[in-house]
């Protein structure tokens, strides 16, 4: 398989310090020392009660980083992970027999997914009664990147006398793949989801040079809401440059007239001018006028090229001046493969899923699938925190009251003890006073005083 020289879009950022204006979410304060529960509750109460507090929409502040932190490496992590996991892509090719579907697939992926018919086809094959759906899966690898490629072919399309319903088996197949995915999504265990949905449908238009045929219009009208349609003019080497230009205009006019939605590359706000102009160039080529060939021929100057050799010259598949093959490959493989998958999942499948569930009478039950309003959630969390804070506050109050009561009781007890001691001392003093008075009276009346021995037993202040 040919090796591409395309640079990896992520590697350029490896180990690059983040730019100084990188913003970050500062939702929590940076503690100077390890915070205590009180610090936290104080911060919470400040945060939610302060009049300057801004709700989430405005709670993101821009911070300049002081040095290289490392999250600039995130794209590399995604890159490594996806390379490890590998990629998968499912494309469908639809068009009348012999328009070059198998040849184009071989040319696109530069591999022989479909062997040449001469080797395999019987001389008188049994004519199928309806459009068949045949899928081929191949694991291919390029520069260490693995791709599981599934090509869904639709032999028999437009090959019958009455082709009115040719689109139906194809639509049924696309929807059956959506159903299979929906069924997996609804399983309790969703560990091994297999995605077999069609990510792109290359629709081959016969190079008549006139306009779209009713078969083409009917197919695109029926399928455009279910699959990414990529119309191509098959075997464009059979038309002149001028014929291709006029044919493209007529096809686009028909597509617009019938309100058919063909795949459009999305434009992003941050796309650089180079990407924008590249996308514009690709989109300007739709419907791609393609030439397919998986064989090499000798071109001017002895060069070996993939192309088709005619008596008057060589048509080179990979030459942008000869056909739009390069642009188709660019969009399908090099720049928009992930976009095609994303659009299939986010828009086409999502619409189908909603329609299907509603048709089954399934309605959104707000009590089961509660849509989360971030503001409401923040308000709920705030109330929860407030309740917690109030609880903590009342608990602290109770503890404080118990301690105060304990102290009061102790104080009261010591007060009572002091009072009792004071009373005791007062009584002793009174007793001593009375004894002294008695002594005084005895001395004054000339009566003998009480013996010393007895006196010593009493309370004495003079000691
Ligand atoms: N002139 C010309 N011939 C082509 C081109 N692509 C394929 N062919 C030839 O057309 C013939 C049919 O090509 P296939 O790729 O088998 O066509 P198909 O659409 O897969 O046919 P079915 O499998 O029968 O539906 C082959 O002889 C190819 O060499 C092209 O771009 N230009
Ligand atoms: Mg074929």
């Amino acid at each position: 398989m040919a090796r591409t020289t395309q640079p990896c879009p992520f590697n350029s950022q490896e180990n690059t310090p983040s730019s100084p204006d990188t913003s970050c979410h500062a939702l929590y304060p940076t503690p100077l020392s390890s915070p205590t529960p009180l610090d936290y509750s104080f911060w919470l109460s400040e945060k939610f009660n302060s009049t300057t507090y801004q709700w989430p929409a405005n709670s993101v502040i821009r911070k300049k980083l002081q040095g290289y932190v490392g999250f600039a490496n995130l794209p590399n992590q995604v890159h490594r992970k996806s390379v490890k996991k590998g990629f998968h892509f499912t494309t469908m090719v639809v068009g009348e027999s012999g328009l070059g579907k198998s040849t184009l697939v071989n040319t696109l992926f530069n591999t022989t997914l479909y062997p040449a018919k001469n080797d395999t086809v019987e001389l008188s094959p049994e004519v199928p009664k309806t459009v068949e759906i045949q899928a081929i899966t191949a694991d291919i690898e390029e520069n260490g990147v693995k791709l599981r490629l599934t090509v869904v072919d639709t032999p028999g399309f437009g090959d019958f006398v009455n082709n009115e319903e040719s689109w139906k088996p194809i639509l049924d197949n696309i929807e059956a793949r959506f159903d299979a995915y929906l069924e997996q999504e609804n399983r309790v265990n969703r560990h091994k989801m297999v995605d077999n949905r069609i990510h792109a449908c290359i629709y081959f238009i016969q190079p008549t040079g006139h306009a779209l045929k009713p078969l083409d219009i009917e197919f695109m009208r029926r399928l455009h809401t279910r699959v990414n349609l990529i119309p191509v003019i098959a075997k464009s080497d059979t038309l002149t440059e001028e014929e291709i230009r006029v044919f493209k205009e007529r096809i686009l006019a028909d597509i617009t007239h019938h309100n058919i939605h063909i795949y459009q590359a999305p434009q992003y706000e941050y796309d650089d001018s180079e990407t924008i102009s590249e996308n514009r160039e690709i989109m300007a080529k739709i419907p791609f006028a393609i030439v397919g060939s998986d064989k090499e021929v000798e071109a001017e100057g002895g060069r070996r090229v993939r192309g088709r050799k005619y008596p008057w010259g060589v048509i080179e598949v990979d030459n942008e001046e000869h056909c739009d093959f390069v642009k188709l490959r660019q969009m399908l493989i090099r720049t928009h493969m992930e976009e095609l998958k994303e659009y299939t999942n986010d828009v086409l499948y999502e619409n189908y899923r909603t329609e299907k569930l509603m048709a089954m009478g399934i309605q959104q039950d707000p009590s089961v699938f509660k849509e989360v309003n971030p503001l409401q959630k923040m308000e709920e969390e705030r109330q929860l925190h407030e309740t917690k804070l109030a609880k903590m506050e009342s608990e602290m109050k109770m503890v404080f009251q118990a301690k105060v009561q304990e102290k009061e009781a102790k104080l009261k007890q010591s007060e009572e003890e002091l009072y009792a001691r004071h009373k005791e001392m007062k009584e002793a003093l009174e007793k001593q006073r009375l004894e002294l008075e008695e002594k005084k009276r005895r001395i004054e009346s000339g009566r003998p005083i009480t013996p010393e021995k007895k006196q010593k037993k009493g309370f004495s202040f003079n000691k």
Side-chain angles (χ1 to χ4, degrees), residues 97-103 117 235 237 291-292 308 310:
S97 180
L99 283 185
K101 299 183 290 296
S102 307
T103 311
K117 277 244 165 118
K235 299 185 174 180
D237 51 326
V291 174
R308 310 188 76 83
Y310 294 103

Side-chain angles (χ1 to χ4, degrees), residues 94-103 204-207 233-235 290:
V94 182
E96 290 165 62
S97 180
L99 283 185
K101 299 183 290 296
S102 307
T103 311
F204 287 68
I205 299 164
Q206 206 181 349
I233 300 171
K235 299 185 174 180
I290 50 149

Side-chain angles (χ1 to χ4, degrees), residues 17 126 172 206 222 230 238 323 337 341 345 353 418 442:
E126 211 178 285
D172 289 347
Q206 206 181 349
R222 299 282 185 170
I230 302 174
T238 57
C323 69
M337 191 180 265
K341 286 171 71 176
N345 184 61
R353 182 181 165 276
L418 271 174
R442 278 175 192 250

Side-chain angles (χ1 to χ4, degrees), residues 269-331:
E269 201 186 330
Y270 298 113
D271 273 349
D272 52 75
S273 54
E274 204 183 315
T275 313
I276 293 172
S277 71
E278 199 178 71
N279 279 351
R280 269 203 203 122
E281 272 178 40
I282 293 176
M283 292 303 135
K285 295 286 181 191
I286 293 177
F288 302 101
I290 50 149
V291 174
S293 173
D294 44 9
K295 304 232 166 37
E296 280 196 348
V297 291
E298 197 174 306
E300 237 179 293
R303 283 181 301 125
R304 302 290 300 168
V305 292
R306 292 194 304 172
R308 310 188 76 83
K309 197 170 183 136
Y310 294 103
W312 53 90
V314 167
I315 292 243
E316 295 176 30
V317 166
D318 296 289
N319 187 334
E320 287 199 49
E321 286 182 3
H322 291 193
C323 69
D324 300 335
F325 169 81
V326 171
K327 284 278 178 278
L328 170 69
R329 181 182 59 194
Q330 174 124 358
M331 187 183 96

Side-chain angles (χ1 to χ4, degrees), residues 63-184:
K63 284 272 184 192
K64 281 187 179 174
L65 301 181
Q66 317 262 299
Y68 180 62
V69 176
F71 59 78
N73 208 36
L74 271 172
N76 295 311
Q77 295 180 30
V78 177
H79 173 70
R80 273 197 293 274
K81 214 173 138 190
S82 48
V83 167
K84 214 168 109 189
K85 262 173 64 183
F87 297 83
H88 79 279
F89 186 67
T90 305
T91 185
M92 181 179 245
V93 283
V94 182
E96 290 165 62
S97 180
L99 283 185
K101 299 183 290 296
S102 307
T103 311
L104 182 78
V105 170
N106 288 347
T107 319
L108 271 173
F109 294 96
N110 213 1
T111 186
T112 317
L113 273 177
Y114 292 97
K117 277 244 165 118
N118 316 352
D119 308 343
T120 54
V121 171
E122 299 157 27
L123 281 178
S124 50
E126 211 178 285
V127 182
K129 292 190 175 56
T130 58
V131 175
E132 276 181 74
I133 310 285
Q134 294 173 353
I136 293 184
T137 300
D139 283 330
I140 50 181
E141 194 175 327
E142 181 178 49
N143 285 2
V145 178
K146 293 184 208 95
L147 175 70
R148 174 156 291 185
L149 172 72
T150 302
V151 179
V152 180
D153 200 354
T154 54
F157 177 82
D159 291 350
F160 310 103
V161 179
N162 180 359
N163 289 308
E164 259 178 32
E165 300 262 288
S166 271
W167 52 270
K168 200 162 184 315
I170 299 172
L171 180 65
D172 289 347
N173 186 272
I174 291 173
E175 292 190 344
R177 286 163 186 267
F178 280 163
D179 285 337
Y181 196 79
L182 183 59
E183 192 267 326
Q184 291 181 79

